[in-house]
Amino acid sequence: MKLLTVTVPCYNSQDYMERCIDSLLTGGDRVEVIVVDDGSTDNTGAIADRYAQEYPQIVRVVHQENGGHGAGINAGLKLASGTYFKVVDSDDCVSGDFCRFLDQLGACERFGGVDLFVTNYYYTHTDGIGDRSIQYGNALPEGKIFGWGKTRRFLVHQMLTIHSCTFRTEVMRRCDTDLPRKVFYEDNLMVCRTLPFVERIFYMNSDLYRYTIGREGQSVQDDVCRRRYPHHLQIAEACFRSVRLDEIRSPNQRRYMRHELFMLFGIACIFTRLNHSAQADEDLRKMWESCMRWDEKWAAYFRKKSPLLFLNLPGNPGQNLTEGIYRFCNRIVRFN
């Protein structure tokens, strides 16, 4: 059995996927790399097949009809043989710390393993402006296995994402991690569905994941996020429905999941209001109504008793305030 399975969802990735795969090959035989060619129309499939021929003990390839990023993750998880599972997008890569990460992952396994291994991720902008590391040292103990009871408060910009998370494969398979097809930002749903099942955690203070920002057409670009606001709304609601906060026994775990949902609702509200349209505002209203029907107590908390209240103020004043908050936050952490 491999120590780690890394799934690389690819769609028309011929121009950058080799950098990603090459960085993963540095892990050697401890790693299984599953490259999912998600209905590409360029040379992505041929490049993936070449790697599989050259590295048959490491690289596996899946060719499938286009189903979106989530369908790529689904395919990788279904086939994964590694003890641990990670997703690395084809336009991103891992750093030179990958072997040290694998060493530490193996050490954890010798002490009974963990459900979640957390590392930092590093924003790398194509224009070289605003690069920075998202670290967790203020919230998580370093260098030891711990439970939620040892965690501290996360700052507002800190979220556990696919970039920072490596999950135990069997833990992911215990929960409903089957992701929707052709829906963007669904990786947040993968994390939200898995975190309630996590008990044992390890944090390595390393900028392992190199997250590339600025590629044309990228899903996190400002104009793309605005246009795809229905996807943000759908995923935020799905995440909310996947987490029953009152059923989480650990106070610290419940506190973190509340933080995660707050951030996901906030992102959805922001990119919806940035459209400055009555239809977008109506779609936002319908999302909140649906969440109220599912769990009135916590939907009301997020909508009316948290700072999200200001992102939902009606009409032009609310839209303009939201835009100002967005611009301010993006100057602090340039996330697109």
Side-chain angles (χ1 to χ4, degrees), residues 280-336:
D281 281 0
E282 175 65 11
D283 291 339
L284 179 60
R285 185 188 66 79
K286 289 180 178 178
M287 182 207 70
W288 283 121
E289 283 187 350
S290 179
C291 290
M292 291 284 186
R293 289 193 295 271
W294 176 256
D295 187 336
E296 184 176 4
K297 170 188 170 181
W298 283 106
Y301 166 81
F302 288 115
R303 170 65 178 82
K304 300 176 181 179
K305 299 179 182 179
S306 79
L308 297 180
L309 169 69
F310 299 102
L311 300 180
N312 289 272
L313 294 175
N316 288 331
Q319 294 168 351
N320 293 333
L321 176 61
T322 299
E323 182 130 20
I325 293 172
Y326 169 67
R327 299 299 176 199
F328 174 76
C329 293
N330 208 12
R331 281 198 298 270
I332 296 175
V333 178
R334 191 178 170 210
F335 40 78
N336 60 29

Side-chain angles (χ1 to χ4, degrees), residues 84-151:
Y84 294 92
F85 183 85
K86 188 167 186 63
V87 179
V88 177
D89 289 337
S90 59
D91 54 352
D92 300 328
C93 66
V94 294
S95 73
D97 282 342
F98 190 47
C99 286
R100 187 163 69 89
F101 159 74
L102 292 171
D103 291 341
Q104 190 62 73
L105 198 62
C108 286
E109 192 61 14
R110 290 191 292 274
F111 284 91
V114 295
D115 303 320
L116 170 63
F117 194 111
V118 180
T119 49
N120 308 330
Y121 60 99
Y122 191 87
Y123 281 104
T124 303
H125 294 82
T126 55
D127 60 9
I129 300 173
D131 294 357
R132 66 166 297 177
S133 171
I134 302 299
Q135 302 178 355
Y136 302 92
N138 62 291
L140 303 177
E142 294 182 35
K144 62 182 180 180
I145 296 174
F146 59 91
W148 287 101
K150 297 296 184 181
T151 63

Side-chain angles (χ1 to χ4, degrees), residues 9 11-17 19 69 89-92 124-127 184 211-224 228 334 336:
Y11 177 72
N12 289 351
S13 305
Q14 65 177 21
D15 294 334
Y16 40 80
M17 61 187 291
R19 181 186 70 135
H69 188 260
D89 289 337
S90 59
D91 54 352
D92 300 328
T124 303
H125 294 82
T126 55
D127 60 9
F184 290 87
Y211 181 21
T212 302
I213 298 290
R215 180 175 58 80
E216 185 177 355
Q218 193 173 19
S219 62
V220 295
Q221 290 301 298
D222 181 280
D223 60 329
V224 177
R228 292 177 178 158
R334 191 178 170 210
N336 60 29

Side-chain angles (χ1 to χ4, degrees), residues 161-173:
T161 69
I162 63 163
H163 316 307
S164 56
C165 291
T166 300
F167 289 109
R168 194 170 192 86
T169 306
E170 67 181 50
V171 171
M172 293 192 67
R173 287 175 173 162

